[in-house]
Amino acid sequence: MPEVSKIHENIAEWKIKRNALILAHSYQVEEVQEIADFVGDSLALSQKAASATQDVIVFCGVHFMAESAAILSPDKTILLPALDAGCPLADFATAQQVRDWREKYPNAAAVAYINSSAEVKAEVDICCTSSNALRVIESLANKEIIILPDGNLGHYIASHFPDRQFHLWPGHCITHHRIEPNEVKVVRERHPEAEILVHPECRPDVVAMADFVGSTAQILARVKCSPSQTFIIGTEMGVIPGLRKNHPDKTFYLLSSGLVCPNMKRTTLDKVFTSLLSMEHRITVPEPLRSRARHSLDRMLQVG
Ligand code: SF4
């Protein structure tokens, strides 16, 4: 494998040759975030993918993210450098299961977390991310709402809307769900001065013990405006290097050593370069599935 500076050069050269935009999720490894044109969470990345002017988008993330980009920008070539980077949370829901739930709850609006397949997005009324989930629910007139596939995010949403009835899917993110309340207790005792920030994909009893709950972008924004000097971060470890770099005067600890998403770590610099060179792995969504899934994503993007 060529040395890192050579790979950087190769990526820069081929990015220009391909007229490509490199997008990276905040949970990617540090060196991949460094070569990206834009780093963000699911909402910011889907907004970037929708407005991109380049011919090619290299999506350093997991499959559903590249698939969402393909749904939003069908005229562009969407490349996923690590084809085996899936999302176990997205795998909790199939299109047939969503159809069954809709039949069971005919008056309910169906909201799919963006961490879902194109087939599932095509069956629901609207998508959401953890950044805009509360705004998405506010935009709906329905009293009854199905939230899928993340039961923990669903629980967090439901706690903000006591006047509505929610049907929560039995799915979870294996990374965030791993945090136990006891770990929060231990870390609180060890760092009583610290602010504990967690992602809503964490278990409800963990969320209840935190000082702040928000999406990855909201956690980063909270650190920026908080008067605290020490933070316990309850989301994937990929955000830590950026936090330390942007806030050298503040101290950060990871809430749990298990906060690693193995799928997010499958993308390497080498794979990004190979992807630009070989134009693989191309992610496409056939019609009419794409248009049906796009409707749910467009409704979400209108909410913002
Ligand atoms: Fe999926 Fe969780 Fe990994 Fe995000 S962190 S890609 S939700 S498994």
Side-chain angles (χ1 to χ4, degrees), residues 25 27 42 61-65 85-91 113 115 150 172-177 199 201 235-236 259-265:
H25 193 271
Y27 299 166
S42 298
V62 295
H63 189 273
F64 78 80
M65 296 177 177
C87 171
L89 170 58
D91 296 340
Y113 195 23
N115 303 38
D150 190 339
H172 59 259
C173 159
I174 51 163
T175 302
H176 289 90
H177 192 73
H199 195 281
E201 285 174 17
T235 192
E236 214 273 347
L259 279 166
V260 184
C261 173
N263 286 286
M264 283 286 184
K265 306 307 185 208

Side-chain angles (χ1 to χ4, degrees), residues 289-302:
L289 173 66
R290 189 197 69 82
S291 298
R292 290 177 58 219
R294 173 153 195 160
H295 176 71
S296 307
L297 278 173
D298 276 346
R299 269 192 81 184
M300 176 192 84
L301 290 172
Q302 277 160 19

